[in-house]
Amino acid sequence: MAPRNDVSQGQVAYVNARLLDPAAGLDTAGGVLTDGEAITDVGPGVTKKKAPKGARIVDCHGKCLSPGLVDIRVELGDLAATVEAAVSGGVTSMVCLPTPELVIDDMSEVEFVARRARKLGLAKVYPYGAVTKGLEGKELAEMGLLAEAGAVAFTDGERAVADAQTMRRAMSYASTFGLMIVQHPEEPSLAADGVMNAGETATRLGLFGIPKEAEVIMVERDLRLASLTGGRLHIAHVSTAETVDTLRRAKADGLNVTCDTAPPYFALNETAIGDYRTFAKLSPPLRAEQDRQAVVEGLADGTIDAIASDHTPRDEESKRLPFAQAAPGGIGLNTLLAVSLELYHNGHLSLLEVLKLVTSAPAGLMGLPAGSLKEGAPADLVLFDPDEGWKVDADKLVGKAQNSPFDGRPVQGRVLRTVIDGRPVFEPDA
Amino acid sequence: MAKGGKDNVHFPHRHLLGIEGLSPEEISILLDRSETYVNQNRRADKTTPLLHGRTIINLFFEDSTRTRTSFELAGKRLGGDLINMSVATSSVKKGETLIDTAMTLNAMHPDVLVVRHPHSGAVKLLSEKVNCAVINGGDGSHEHPTQALLDALTIRRRRGGLSGLQVAICGDILHSRVARSNIHLLNTMGARVRLIAPKTLIPPEVERLGVEIFHDMNEGLRDCDIVMMLRLQRERMHGNFLPSIREYFHFFGLDYEKLSNAKEDALIMHPGPMNRGVEIDTDVADDVGRSVIREQVEMGVAVRMAVLELLALNPDNGGNA
């Protein structure tokens, strides 16, 4: 559906829904009333009968209505295609990573991203700023100015800030302004030749492995640096049992650290690579089954604060290569909701708990005006059926890139409508 | 003796991409067929025109002399038309992808592609894009199935079988496709496999492939029937795997002293090319009583003839028509 940026929506009453607002702990029958770009009423009292005169009525037929999803780890690639993929997955806000193509170490780039995304009128895009100039891990980027321009937190994206002194200074300096550093936790020297998780599967395939210790070593170091500097640290895409344990202990000790994971790390393990499937080549690599289970536990007990899709669009040319040469990364916006709902369908989390991990929790981490149905909040909504089954077919996903690690997977949970600032921006083809 | 579809020998795979997953029966079919070619290759007239009119392309993305020559002889002795394509003369260096190369060659209707590539899995990827039989001539550190078959044939002819033998594979296991193919084949055929190497050259969790691991040559070689040495891939040694060649030879080079732990009639094998004085003492390598290294080369041609024949004449690849 083409976005209608210019049309004022007036009042719309979404009635007869199962309301799910994780920020308020609300799971009840009811509705949402919006006026223009904002939510003006919410709860069991919003019904067809009580809707204000002139309000357009949208009957939700008992399906789930929740805040739009918030995805805090997205590589933009082709921006127009990516925001389309986002709304097809119910994602209404996302935070985009610096990449070698879009470094975001300069204020102009922050403004460029925000302006282009606003023009498209689909998912709202908030940029991360780079920690270091050119993502080279040496000199600090202008974090203070970048933050003033709109960068919500700081990261070198898919590159770890590897040098300990640089990381120390970055955390220390960022904390001057109350800014958060997001680390891709991987000790580069241990990962240098590796293309998948080290272990039996890699040995059988004759591929060089990245030991899972490469992750926890970096996490443990950074936790020490966080203590040393008082800096605010967030660990991205946790993938190993050791990292979950380490972060669980750090949190119990009162350290101000948070973390997220991505669907591949709780839904897949290294065997998804099978006979050299490059769509399953990710960074960090898919790990062993016991790691996957530990990540699920970390989500269930609250050690892991949020789920981000780790959306990494890659073209066919960069994936149709021998495994070692293929680019790592998988798309995830389209399947974020459905794969996350597996945690609910498999009985690990309640529906509200799953939604919290993809709405209010990530919004809270990044300080975004999103992830809530309270009065005055932006009318960013997703209507979905948590039970409807479908099969992921990478070729048919909305967007340009097709490199889904979930290609062929049967999932449950379909987005029925996505609303941004009161405007309907996505409905699936019948 | 009747050959080539006439006596209904059937190998039920379109390609030979690796040993892993082959059954003992399938391996035996290949070895039995190879056996007949050993005899043929010792005659003055070494040819049978079974593959007359068939096109075989040796597609080598990595330097090789012996494997390429061995396949070339094998193809020619079967009467096939064989051409060599090596990376230096191909368009791959001009930026053409592996897939493009595969599609281009496929359009020329070859019957068999023999492929060697420096990356694990590349041969499998290529096999998905072509309509002909594909033989893995070695892919990265993954598999080198015809090497394992020729090793097995050599052992079988000397020892009458493989089952129950104690085999030690020594050296750079980490980088070795030969080791992986041999581990799969020997385990499948009922031999017991030991790996002997310093810890930096042992791949993670390799014991799950059903092998015993040793880090001491004297212990590891004790009572072994077969000693397989691997070439130390010095070109891949830039990553601090070993302090020096001298130290490596001292602890892991095969000399008479270490060899004395093995059975008295233990066979010494090496896939070549050897680094004399690095992984193997030159006297041991040339010991005519125990070293079967040259015999391995001979068996190589026979094995490749058998593989070419059985794949080219497989009904799924166009059969005997």
Side-chain angles (χ1 to χ4, degrees):
Chain A
M1 180 182 296
R4 288 174 295 180
N5 237 343
D6 47 339
V7 182
S8 166
Q9 293 296 315
Q11 285 188 313
V12 183
Y14 297 86
V15 300
N16 188 23
R18 177 177 174 189
L19 278 183
L20 290 151
D21 185 8
L26 182 76
D27 181 351
T28 178
V32 169
L33 182 68
T34 69
D35 188 355
E37 298 186 355
I39 294 172
T40 49
D41 195 6
V42 59
V46 180
T47 62
K48 191 175 174 182
K49 268 189 189 162
K50 295 184 193 163
K53 231 181 155 183
R56 210 154 54 78
I57 305 291
V58 176
D59 188 339
C60 299
H61 300 290
K63 303 300 185 200
C64 294
L65 186 65
S66 85
L69 271 51
V70 177
D71 187 348
I72 59 170
R73 202 171 171 83
V74 172
E75 195 172 295
L76 279 185
D78 179 329
L79 186 138
T82 299
V83 288
E84 267 192 63
V87 296
S88 81
V91 175
T92 55
S93 294
M94 58 197 198
V95 187
C96 74
L97 292 170
T99 62
E101 294 76 36
L102 179 72
V103 177
I104 324 186
D105 61 354
D106 188 88
M107 287 178 288
S108 62
E109 284 172 303
V110 172
E111 286 154 9
F112 173 74
V113 169
R115 192 171 60 244
R116 278 202 55 211
R118 263 199 310 277
K119 258 185 154 171
L120 291 162
L122 294 173
K124 299 169 181 173
V125 181
Y126 301 89
Y128 283 108
V131 177
T132 65
K133 286 177 186 153
L135 310 179
E136 283 174 355
K138 291 172 189 154
E139 296 171 54
L140 297 186
E142 295 169 321
M143 288 189 268
L145 290 173
L146 289 165
E148 275 195 355
V152 297
F154 292 84
T155 180
D156 275 358
E158 281 296 293
R159 293 186 194 169
V161 179
D163 182 77
Q165 182 70 297
T166 304
M167 187 59 170
R168 173 192 174 190
R169 295 260 158 78
M171 286 170 76
S172 177
Y173 185 77
S175 68
T176 312
F177 302 99
L179 305 174
M180 182 163 75
I181 304 283
V182 177
Q183 176 74 300
H184 166 67
E186 186 172 78
E187 166 53 46
S189 64
L190 283 173
D193 297 321
V195 296
M196 67 170 290
N197 188 43
E200 182 189 352
T201 309
T203 290
R204 276 183 194 277
L205 293 172
L207 295 171
F208 292 101
I210 301 172
K212 57 186 174 16
E213 287 74 12
E215 181 171 290
V216 74
I217 283 172
M218 188 61 92
V219 170
E220 284 176 341
R221 184 202 75 173
D222 287 350
L223 289 173
R224 301 274 173 179
L225 294 175
S227 297
L228 174 67
T229 60
R232 176 73 178 85
L233 176 67
H234 178 86
I235 300 293
H237 43 214
V238 167
S239 73
T240 72
E242 285 79 357
T243 303
V244 175
D245 278 348
T246 298
L247 288 167
R248 188 178 285 128
R249 276 198 309 272
K251 286 182 159 193
D253 292 346
L255 202 64
N256 190 13
V257 61
T258 51
C259 64
D260 67 68
T261 191
Y265 307 111
F266 60 78
L268 299 173
N269 64 33
E270 61 190 340
T271 60
I273 289 167
D275 246 350
Y276 304 100
R277 273 185 71 229
T278 56
F279 279 10
K281 181 176 179 179
L282 305 175
S283 175
L286 292 171
R287 304 287 184 183
E289 173 59 13
Q290 63 264 33
D291 294 305
R292 188 194 69 78
Q293 290 174 10
V295 170
V296 171
E297 270 173 49
L299 286 162
D301 73 9
T303 301
I304 299 175
D305 301 274
I307 297 171
S309 78
D310 242 352
H311 185 84
T312 311
R314 298 287 185 211
D315 60 16
E316 202 172 320
E317 282 65 46
S318 62
K319 283 289 187 183
R320 274 177 45 170
L321 289 169
F323 196 87
Q325 291 177 308
I331 56 170
L333 282 164
N334 316 62
T335 51
L336 176 62
L337 179 64
V339 179
S340 296
L341 285 173
E342 290 181 11
L343 295 163
Y344 157 66
H345 291 298
N346 294 337
H348 298 296
L349 277 84
S350 72
L351 185 54
L352 209 55
E353 286 167 332
V354 172
L355 285 171
K356 183 180 176 190
L357 289 164
V358 290
T359 58
S360 58
L365 286 172
M366 299 294 157
L368 306 181
S372 160
L373 294 181
K374 70 171 185 286
E375 282 179 46
D380 296 348
L381 309 171
V382 60
L383 179 69
F384 66 96
D385 179 340
D387 299 315
E388 189 181 331
W390 56 289
K391 191 169 173 180
V392 180
D393 178 348
D395 293 344
K396 292 188 180 145
L397 294 174
V398 174
K400 207 168 180 182
Q402 299 170 335
N403 55 304
S404 170
F406 298 108
D407 190 19
R409 188 181 186 89
V411 291
Q412 268 181 285
R414 187 183 268 292
V415 174
L416 302 173
R417 179 187 286 242
T418 307
V419 176
I420 292 178
D421 288 338
R423 290 171 291 114
V425 292
F426 174 78
E427 271 174 54
D429 299 329
Chain B
M1 176 178 182
K3 277 197 193 134
K6 288 175 206 155
D7 51 358
N8 290 323
V9 175
H10 182 62
F11 180 69
H13 298 280
R14 287 198 60 196
H15 309 298
L16 181 66
L17 300 176
I19 298 293
E20 187 173 16
L22 294 184
S23 68
E25 294 73 26
E26 290 163 354
I27 291 168
S28 295
I29 288 171
L30 294 171
L31 295 178
D32 293 347
R33 188 47 137 201
S34 306
E35 197 80 60
T36 68
Y37 285 114
V38 176
N39 301 326
Q40 178 177 319
N41 285 337
R42 287 177 178 175
R43 297 199 307 253
D45 179 0
K46 302 174 178 60
T47 60
T48 29
L50 284 171
L51 299 190
H52 178 76
R54 306 294 165 107
T55 304
I56 302 157
I57 301 178
N58 265 342
L59 178 58
F60 277 58
F61 295 91
E62 196 181 70
D63 285 343
S64 158
T65 311
R66 32 183 82 213
T67 303
R68 187 177 51 72
T69 312
S70 185
F71 270 109
E72 193 172 345
L73 269 180
K76 288 183 170 164
R77 286 181 183 172
L78 290 169
D81 297 318
L82 188 139
I83 61 158
N84 287 307
M85 265 190 74
S86 66
V87 78
T89 56
S90 82
S91 47
V92 171
K93 286 232 162 128
K94 297 177 203 149
E96 191 179 67
T97 68
L98 179 68
I99 304 281
D100 292 334
T101 307
M103 306 288 233
T104 306
L105 290 177
N106 193 47
M108 300 177 192
H109 300 294
D111 297 283
V112 185
L113 281 176
V114 180
V115 187
R116 168 168 289 193
H117 197 282
H119 287 298
S120 302
V123 180
K124 154 90 179 149
L125 177 66
L126 190 140
S127 75
E128 291 164 1
K129 310 291 172 188
V130 297
N131 303 320
C132 64
V134 174
I135 299 172
N136 183 358
D139 65 323
S141 303
H142 178 222
E143 284 232 39
H144 190 356
T146 56
Q147 178 70 42
L149 288 165
L150 73 87
D151 289 341
L153 184 63
T154 308
I155 298 169
R156 208 175 76 158
R157 285 169 60 88
R158 288 283 186 141
R159 288 289 178 269
L162 295 158
S163 185
L165 293 178
Q166 184 74 66
V167 183
I169 305 177
C170 318
D172 184 2
I173 317 285
L174 182 68
H175 296 100
S176 178
R177 53 195 174 212
V178 174
R180 285 174 180 72
S181 286
N182 265 312
I183 291 168
H184 296 310
L185 190 147
L186 292 164
N187 274 333
T188 305
M189 301 307 281
R192 286 169 297 156
V193 181
R194 297 176 179 179
L195 306 179
I196 314 174
K199 289 190 176 182
T200 47
L201 296 180
I202 295 278
E205 297 182 13
V206 71
E207 63 280 0
R208 299 210 190 188
L209 272 56
V211 295
E212 263 187 289
I213 297 169
F214 292 82
H215 304 297
D216 180 310
M217 279 287 266
N218 292 314
E219 250 180 75
L221 289 179
R222 195 151 295 141
D223 300 320
C224 277
D225 299 284
I226 311 289
V227 183
M228 280 186 179
M229 300 306 297
L230 296 173
R231 192 171 75 86
L232 188 68
Q233 304 198 24
R234 281 187 286 183
E235 67 274 15
R236 291 179 180 161
M237 283 298 142
H238 42 73
N240 299 334
F241 291 100
L242 299 170
S244 75
I245 298 298
R246 181 171 74 172
E247 179 158 331
Y248 182 74
F249 184 74
H250 178 74
F251 291 103
F252 297 96
L254 186 66
D255 56 21
Y256 277 116
E257 200 188 320
K258 297 185 192 105
L259 183 60
S260 67
N261 293 285
K263 283 190 183 159
E264 237 171 273
D265 59 351
L267 300 179
I268 298 158
M269 306 179 75
H270 193 297
M274 281 183 282
N275 297 303
R276 291 170 183 268
V278 176
E279 70 261 352
I280 188 162
D281 180 78
T282 203
D283 292 341
V284 175
D286 296 334
D287 185 332
V288 285
R290 311 178 73 176
S291 165
V292 293
I293 295 170
R294 258 158 291 187
E295 203 170 310
Q296 288 173 271
V297 178
E298 184 192 352
M299 294 306 122
V301 180
V303 158
R304 285 160 186 139
M305 288 172 82
V307 172
L308 282 171
E309 181 215 328
L310 291 173
L311 289 183
L313 302 187
N314 183 330
D316 297 333
N317 286 323
N320 210 5

